[in-house]
Amino acid sequence: MHAELAFSAADLALVRFAVSPMWEVGTSYRLLASGAAHPVHQPWIQQVRPRVTAAGLDRGLLAELVPRAGYVADFLNPAPAGPAPTLAQELAGIRATPPSRVHQDLARLRGEQGSPGPRLRALQASPPAQLERLAEEIETYWELALAPYWARIRAALDADVFHRARQVAEHGTGRLLNELHPSASWDDNALRIARRRRTLSRQGAGDGLLLIPSAFTGPHLLTRLMPPEPPQLAYPARGIGALWESRPAPAANALAAVLGRSRTRLLTELDSPASTTELARRTGLSPAGVSQYLTALRDAGLVSAHRAGRSVLYARTSVAEAVLAAPRP
């Protein structure tokens, strides 16, 4: 069985890309909730799952809205207004979801998953209040599970978009859609997706197509249809297989001459997010010294801080990643 999405010339003109934080929230949460190991994301899972469990996020609204398999409520993925919406912008879209849309999505979820849990019943009864609670839960999940890693994830997603955009420039949109995924093919002004259970037609979708590269979708294409918005198609981004691989330590002498050896050492140790205590243990520096150096690095825009329960996790920013990746003379 396959689905087919027809394209007019106007639809082709409206094909665009977006990097969406909420798509990463939903797909990463599902991966954690599955309880399974993963050949690519296991390093991330081992770090994040204990934090998410300790925060009780395995028993909240997300746990009922994002089941381990099947349909996920469409209102969790509002159509991005631009190529790189912030989490705050997407949460504003979720908070503004009309109650009728919430009820429609919950009805479909109930049809696939059976009787709703207590949190979905509360959402059904009072959408505005519960959507606010949901947004707060998503913010907590983001801070624990994705924000410390976002510079690395975002770099991979941006690299995918750059590659696809160049593909369009050199070969056209047809080549892009034909090579997007093994299950997708482009022919006769239509995009066909094999092995899809639900229909996908232009009659049930808005104009154009919104392509969402994702780190956590798994091997399949995921879709969202909510007319009059354009259909969304989330696909596994290129290069995700190397996302969590340890990166070789740079030649630090030149960088240390600018930042100092201790600050440079801390940056290189932050290949994965860590707390002050953990960094002190790894480096032999005093916790007070580590805290002082991290404050300086944060003020310089090289490190970000993320609350994780009673501790704070520090992570390299995209600026730091670029500095460390720069070739040395």
Side-chain angles (χ1 to χ4, degrees):
M1 182 177 180
H2 71 271
E4 182 175 307
L5 184 67
F7 280 76
S8 66
D11 289 318
L12 281 173
L14 292 173
V15 173
R16 63 185 177 93
F17 290 91
V19 172
S20 165
M22 275 308 304
W23 270 103
E24 300 309 290
V25 167
T27 52
S28 67
Y29 185 90
R30 170 169 278 181
L31 176 60
L32 285 178
S34 71
H38 192 278
V40 171
H41 295 303
Q42 197 59 25
W44 174 83
I45 291 171
Q46 290 173 341
Q47 293 177 40
V48 168
R49 185 177 282 151
R51 298 179 211 150
V52 170
T53 301
L57 294 175
D58 57 333
R59 304 181 298 277
L61 267 166
L62 272 175
E64 295 187 23
L65 281 169
V66 184
R68 296 185 181 186
Y71 173 70
V72 173
D74 286 321
F75 69 79
L76 287 175
N77 297 107
T86 64
L87 179 67
Q89 289 171 327
E90 294 195 313
L91 288 179
I94 291 173
R95 289 185 175 102
T97 304
S100 60
R101 178 76 247 178
V102 174
H103 293 156
Q104 181 177 336
D105 288 1
L106 292 183
R108 180 174 168 185
L109 194 61
R110 185 167 56 250
E112 291 195 9
Q113 301 293 331
S115 299
R119 293 166 186 82
L120 290 193
R121 292 197 296 270
L123 178 58
Q124 176 81 22
S126 180
Q130 294 303 311
L131 286 176
E132 181 61 39
R133 179 180 175 184
L134 172 64
E136 293 172 357
E137 186 176 310
I138 291 171
E139 286 177 326
T140 300
Y141 176 79
W142 176 265
E143 196 69 8
L144 293 174
L146 292 173
Y149 308 90
W150 188 239
R152 179 175 288 203
I153 295 170
R154 176 66 188 273
L157 302 183
D158 285 346
D160 179 273
V161 172
F162 179 81
H163 169 80
R164 309 286 180 182
R166 184 170 181 174
Q167 193 175 40
V168 171
E170 294 180 353
H171 304 288
T173 306
R175 170 77 72 87
L176 161 72
L177 296 175
N178 204 44
E179 296 185 0
L180 191 68
H181 189 270
S183 69
S185 60
W186 171 259
D187 184 49
D188 196 24
N189 294 324
L191 177 66
R192 295 177 177 84
I193 302 176
R195 299 181 296 279
R196 179 180 164 85
R197 290 179 297 175
R198 300 187 67 86
T199 60
L200 178 66
S201 69
R202 186 57 69 180
Q203 290 181 343
D207 298 332
L209 179 65
L210 189 55
L211 297 170
I212 313 282
S214 175
F216 294 98
T217 55
H220 306 295
L221 292 173
L222 302 178
T223 59
R224 173 198 183 266
L225 300 177
M226 190 184 293
E229 297 173 357
Q232 296 184 38
L233 183 62
Y235 63 92
R238 300 171 73 253
I240 294 303
L243 184 61
W244 308 116
E245 289 181 358
S246 296
R247 300 175 185 182
N253 289 340
L255 190 58
V258 178
L259 297 179
R261 291 195 176 279
S262 295
R263 294 183 183 89
T264 302
R265 173 73 187 280
L266 290 174
L267 274 186
T268 58
E269 287 291 336
L270 285 174
D271 198 53
S272 61
S275 66
T276 300
T277 302
E278 175 65 14
L279 289 168
R281 184 188 65 78
R282 288 189 208 166
T283 61
L285 298 169
S286 70
V290 169
S291 180
Q292 179 182 355
Y293 295 139
L294 288 173
T295 297
L297 291 170
R298 184 179 182 184
D299 290 345
L302 297 173
V303 162
S304 57
H306 309 274
R307 175 65 61 180
R310 296 181 179 179
S311 63
V312 175
L313 293 176
Y314 291 89
R316 293 196 300 238
T317 64
S318 57
V319 175
E321 295 284 357
V323 168
L324 291 172
R328 301 287 183 262

